Amino acid sequence: MKKFKLGLFPRVVIAIVVGALLGLILPDVVIRIFKTFNVLFAQLLKFTVPLLVLGLVTPSIANLGRGAGKMLLTVMAIAYCSTVCAGIFSYGVSSNLLPMYLSPGELSSEFVSEKEYLPYIDLKIPPICDIMTALVLSFVLGVGVIFTNSSALKKGFDEFGEIVKLTIEKVIIPFLPVYIFTMICEMSAKGVIAVVLGTGFKVILTGVILSIIYLIIQYCVAGLIARKNPIKMLWNIVPAYLTGFSICSSSACIPVTYECALKNGVRKDIADFVIPLCSTVHMCGSTIKLTVTSVAVAYMFGVPLTFGLFLQFAFMQAIAAVAAPGVMGGVLMASIGLLCNILGFTDTMTTLIMTLYLALDGYGPAVNVSGDAAIAVITDKIFAKAPSAK
């Protein structure tokens, strides 16, 4: 018989429930042991994030150079603008909407128990560079490979990327539920778990609604440009949305998204080019989910999140998300460094963001892949007279 295996979502749910219950009864010594694991794993996570950017973004940029041309630049520009606009849209709405049903500073130090659980071991694992350095270096190396056609360097980063993927898939992702469990357990012991769990449902529901609204906006824009019925196109994309929601992966949805794009009248050669490319560079749904969660956590911790500061984060996050869909939870992992470096989030805040982000992972990829087909419709209209898309 085939071995039964729990997915990431049910493991996260189990971690939240068990952590909330055990935190009420476990002695302080056990909570401190959990805290020790939490601190060590957080250090490993910080160390891995720049490697994730270098190992995935660099070869991704280098690969795009093989088909460099007007269509490539057009699709890249549209995808980047869509991802950034998704962040700005969700920030603008959620920063005005969430205060209506969340309490300001409810997880700040004044409202939280003064009891502190110190780890038994506080080992520091400094990353090889910060996230901004990794992003700039990835861009320089990726573009350099394109212009020098350095196959050796390209192969080296391809292999390095596979090592990073293996680390994320075999070490980071499997231990994420444990990491979340230890954090929830500590929060439960401090008496703030009711606030976190009560808020989680509101934040997730807000993210789902905003992501659907943004998807409708995308198809209205695509329909306006291509002069097609957006309602009909939205209906045709439902299989891709449901597939993305169920398997939580943009890359794995490529065949379904491709078929949906063809139903919306996209030329086959353009769909062949746009859909695989956008599955790597277009992360509007994941960005909405991350933004809504970040705004909620910042509000609950009483941390100011100005538009200017967030705009800087949005521009960089859209770059960091490139190639992240190749790894489960990759967009979240690639954005952690930016949350800390640009927005000034603490380890506790980023862990809570992970918890809320992973609690319903499917709606981000669902909007990502659905939006890919909208970009394909726009690209098809722009290059309608082109004899070949490649």
Side-chain angles (χ1 to χ4, degrees):
M1 293 180 64
K2 188 176 181 180
K3 187 178 178 180
F4 177 75
K5 185 177 180 181
L6 278 177
L8 182 60
F9 170 63
R11 282 183 285 148
V12 168
V13 172
I14 293 172
I16 293 172
V17 174
V18 176
L21 295 175
L22 290 183
L24 299 173
I25 59 175
L26 289 177
D28 289 358
V29 62
V30 178
I31 301 296
R32 287 188 64 187
I33 292 174
F34 290 165
K35 179 70 173 182
T36 302
F37 171 84
N38 191 287
V39 170
L40 293 177
F41 190 84
Q43 290 293 316
L44 177 62
L45 205 56
K46 289 181 178 180
F47 174 80
T48 307
V49 169
L51 301 181
L52 174 69
V53 174
L54 285 170
L56 298 186
V57 176
T58 303
S60 177
I61 294 175
N63 281 333
L64 294 178
R66 294 177 180 176
K70 290 183 179 180
M71 187 178 293
L72 170 66
L73 296 177
T74 301
V75 174
M76 289 284 289
I78 295 173
Y80 180 78
C81 289
S82 175
T83 302
V84 172
C85 287
I88 295 173
F89 164 76
S90 53
Y91 169 83
V93 177
S94 61
S95 59
N96 287 284
L97 193 62
L98 290 174
M100 294 181 182
Y101 42 84
L102 297 183
S103 300
E106 57 186 319
L107 290 180
S108 61
S109 56
E110 308 94 74
F111 292 84
V112 177
S113 169
E114 293 182 359
K115 190 171 185 179
E116 187 68 28
Y117 296 95
L118 299 176
Y120 287 108
I121 301 173
D122 191 2
L123 180 66
K124 301 295 182 184
I125 311 176
I128 58 173
C129 63
D130 59 39
I131 188 68
M132 298 299 293
T133 302
L135 280 170
V136 174
L137 183 59
S138 295
F139 180 79
V140 171
L141 290 172
V143 173
V145 169
I146 293 174
F147 283 96
T148 62
N149 197 25
S150 175
S151 57
L153 188 61
K154 170 67 171 56
K155 182 180 179 182
F157 272 101
D158 282 339
E159 294 175 351
F160 178 65
E162 291 302 316
I163 295 174
V164 174
K165 285 183 181 180
L166 191 65
T167 303
I168 297 295
E169 293 170 353
K170 301 299 183 182
V171 180
I172 301 297
I173 295 299
F175 279 100
L176 266 182
V178 182
Y179 182 47
I180 291 170
F181 163 77
T182 58
M183 191 265 312
I184 293 294
C185 205
E186 182 185 2
M187 285 188 168
S188 180
K190 287 184 174 182
V192 299
I193 192 62
V195 174
V196 175
L197 295 182
T199 299
F201 176 76
K202 302 173 186 176
V203 174
I204 292 171
L205 184 60
T206 302
V208 171
I209 293 173
L210 291 187
S211 66
I212 293 175
I213 292 174
Y214 188 75
L215 186 60
I216 293 173
I217 293 173
Q218 281 185 312
Y219 274 90
C220 286
V221 172
L224 187 64
I225 294 174
R227 296 182 180 179
K228 293 182 179 181
N229 187 341
I231 298 177
K232 183 178 179 180
M233 288 193 295
L234 281 167
W235 176 255
N236 289 336
I237 205 64
V238 168
Y241 182 92
L242 295 177
T243 304
F245 195 96
S246 61
I247 66 177
C248 305
S249 171
S250 297
S251 299
C253 289
I254 289 176
V256 181
T257 310
Y258 175 81
E259 292 298 327
C260 292
L262 295 182
K263 287 183 180 179
N264 281 333
V266 178
R267 270 170 41 186
K268 186 178 183 301
D269 59 329
I270 290 181
D272 287 339
F273 181 83
V274 175
I275 299 302
L277 175 59
C278 282
S279 71
T280 303
V281 300
H282 185 222
M283 295 294 109
C284 60
S286 297
T287 296
I288 290 173
K289 181 165 61 169
L290 182 67
T291 300
V292 173
T293 307
S294 301
V295 170
V297 170
Y299 188 73
M300 289 191 294
F301 275 84
V303 175
L305 191 58
T306 63
F307 177 71
L309 191 64
F310 177 80
L311 194 61
Q312 181 184 354
F313 169 80
F315 284 130
M316 300 309 299
Q317 189 270 336
I319 299 175
V322 172
V327 180
M328 179 181 276
V331 173
L332 175 63
M333 296 297 103
S335 303
I336 290 175
L338 297 175
L339 290 170
C340 297
N341 293 351
I342 297 179
L343 302 184
F345 283 10
T346 63
D347 289 345
T348 301
M349 295 172 70
T350 54
T351 307
L352 183 54
I353 287 173
M354 288 183 193
T355 305
L356 297 177
Y357 185 98
L358 295 172
L360 187 60
D361 193 32
Y363 78 86
V367 176
N368 291 342
V369 299
S370 301
D372 295 348
I375 293 179
V377 171
I378 295 174
T379 306
D380 182 76
K381 177 63 177 179
I382 295 173
F383 292 91
K385 297 180 180 179
S388 175
K390 297 181 182 180

